Amino acid sequence: MSRRLPVYLLIDTSGSMKGEPIESVKVGLDAMISTLVNDPFALESVHLSIITFDREVKLLFPLTGIDDLTLPEISTPDYGPTHLGAALQLLEQRIDTEFIRNTTTQKGDWLPVLLVMTDGKPSDVLLYDEMCEKLSKRKFGRLIACAAGPQAKVEPLKKLTSEVYRLENLDSDSFIKLFQWVSASIDECNKSQGTGIDENANLPPPPEEIMVF
């Protein structure tokens, strides 16, 4: 069995994402998965899990090989808070459950990749700050946060990671480019970890639609 590269996506599904934004996210996710499936190296190792968060936090599916993956329906409520802190708490639980660690007899998983995408800010601020502190003690191959749309707040995401980007538009073209860039980053992270070099080497620059902070 080849070593897995766990990839976790935390997707904001709060009421402000209802309609075109969440439909655009789905189009972008389909494009990302199609890109990864057509890469033999990624097809062999990348395992994907998606967690959505609004007033509820849902595990859409656990780590699953991309060749076995069918995206389920992603729904949004009409209104309500954005519980990103609770989503990070569930993420921590899933990593503790799913991540295969090195043993004396076998190599475990590669360092996980995490993408957090939100069009607002955390509603559960105390829990969010607590989880940012906890996750800062964990190692990730890459931890990317994306503030999507004009209402998204960058400053809270800087507590989670130094890799914060802004996507100005919430249309399907923008999300396709975002997720294709993420898939290229996953591919490079996968290959760099596999060869034992710095996992932050040779990462592709974001497209012009994505602003760096």
Side-chain angles (χ1 to χ4, degrees), residues 123-140:
S123 301
D124 50 350
V125 177
L126 291 178
L127 180 57
Y128 176 75
D129 288 347
E130 177 187 335
M131 293 312 304
C132 286
E133 177 66 22
K134 284 188 174 182
L135 291 175
S136 70
K137 298 179 173 65
R138 291 179 178 262
K139 290 184 177 180
F140 289 88

Side-chain angles (χ1 to χ4, degrees), residues 139-154:
K139 290 184 177 180
F140 289 88
R142 197 166 190 198
L143 203 170
I144 303 167
C146 179
Q151 303 303 316
K153 303 301 181 185
V154 170

Side-chain angles (χ1 to χ4, degrees), residues 1 9 11 14 33 48 52 89 91 96 104 106 110 130 133 136 146 159 170-171 183 188 194 205 207 213:
M1 179 179 176
L9 304 184
I11 305 294
S14 56
I33 292 169
L48 182 66
T52 61
Q89 189 174 52
L91 167 74
D96 286 341
T104 55
Q106 70 171 13
W110 302 116
E130 177 187 335
E133 177 66 22
S136 70
C146 179
K159 296 179 180 180
L170 299 179
D171 56 42
S183 67
E188 287 299 331
F213 285 86

Side-chain angles (χ1 to χ4, degrees), residues 1-8 41-42 44-47 63 95 98-102 107-113 139-142 186-187 189-197 199:
M1 179 179 176
S2 62
R3 297 178 70 181
R4 303 184 307 175
L5 176 66
V7 178
Y8 292 92
F41 202 77
E44 184 177 295
S45 55
V46 172
H47 283 61
L63 283 179
I95 292 176
E98 299 172 324
F99 187 75
I100 300 173
R101 303 183 185 281
N102 291 332
K107 293 285 190 179
D109 291 335
W110 302 116
L111 293 176
V113 173
K139 290 184 177 180
F140 289 88
R142 197 166 190 198
I186 290 169
D187 187 47
C189 187
N190 196 5
K191 291 175 181 176
S192 63
Q193 291 194 74
T195 55
I197 64 175
E199 58 263 27

Side-chain angles (χ1 to χ4, degrees), residues 157-171:
L157 296 177
K158 289 182 178 179
K159 296 179 180 180
L160 178 64
T161 177
S162 60
E163 271 203 89
V164 179
Y165 303 88
R166 177 183 288 282
L167 189 68
E168 284 297 328
N169 298 313
L170 299 179
D171 56 42

Side-chain angles (χ1 to χ4, degrees), residues 10-211:
L10 270 60
I11 305 294
D12 187 341
T13 50
S14 56
S16 54
M17 289 291 293
K18 195 175 186 67
E20 182 183 3
I22 198 64
E23 294 303 319
S24 298
V25 167
K26 295 175 190 177
V27 172
L29 285 171
D30 282 333
M32 183 190 77
I33 292 169
S34 294
T35 300
L36 292 171
V37 165
N38 287 313
D39 182 308
F41 202 77
L43 187 62
E44 184 177 295
S45 55
V46 172
H47 283 61
L48 182 66
S49 176
I50 296 182
I51 293 171
T52 61
F53 57 96
D54 42 71
R55 62 191 176 208
E56 297 180 353
V57 175
K58 299 176 183 176
L59 175 68
L60 288 194
F61 52 86
L63 283 179
T64 305
I66 53 175
D67 56 335
D68 296 324
L69 191 58
T70 300
L71 281 178
E73 182 61 28
I74 301 176
S75 60
T76 60
D78 292 329
Y79 57 88
T82 304
H83 285 158
L84 178 51
L88 293 175
Q89 189 174 52
L90 178 57
L91 167 74
E92 183 182 51
Q93 294 168 2
R94 297 309 306 174
I95 292 176
D96 286 341
T97 300
E98 299 172 324
F99 187 75
I100 300 173
R101 303 183 185 281
N102 291 332
T103 68
T104 55
T105 57
Q106 70 171 13
K107 293 285 190 179
D109 291 335
W110 302 116
L111 293 176
V113 173
L114 171 61
L115 168 69
V116 176
M117 191 279 293
T118 179
D119 75 334
K121 62 180 180 180
S123 301
D124 50 350
V125 177
L126 291 178
L127 180 57
Y128 176 75
D129 288 347
E130 177 187 335
M131 293 312 304
C132 286
E133 177 66 22
K134 284 188 174 182
L135 291 175
S136 70
K137 298 179 173 65
R138 291 179 178 262
K139 290 184 177 180
F140 289 88
R142 197 166 190 198
L143 203 170
I144 303 167
C146 179
Q151 303 303 316
K153 303 301 181 185
V154 170
E155 290 306 318
L157 296 177
K158 289 182 178 179
K159 296 179 180 180
L160 178 64
T161 177
S162 60
E163 271 203 89
V164 179
Y165 303 88
R166 177 183 288 282
L167 189 68
E168 284 297 328
N169 298 313
L170 299 179
D171 56 42
S172 57
D173 286 343
S174 297
F175 277 112
I176 286 173
K177 290 178 180 178
L178 168 66
F179 285 112
Q180 285 181 334
W181 170 66
V182 170
S183 67
S185 301
I186 290 169
D187 187 47
E188 287 299 331
C189 187
N190 196 5
K191 291 175 181 176
S192 63
Q193 291 194 74
T195 55
I197 64 175
D198 179 6
E199 58 263 27
N200 290 318
N202 302 317
L203 292 174
E208 60 182 16
E209 290 82 3
I210 301 175
M211 299 169 58

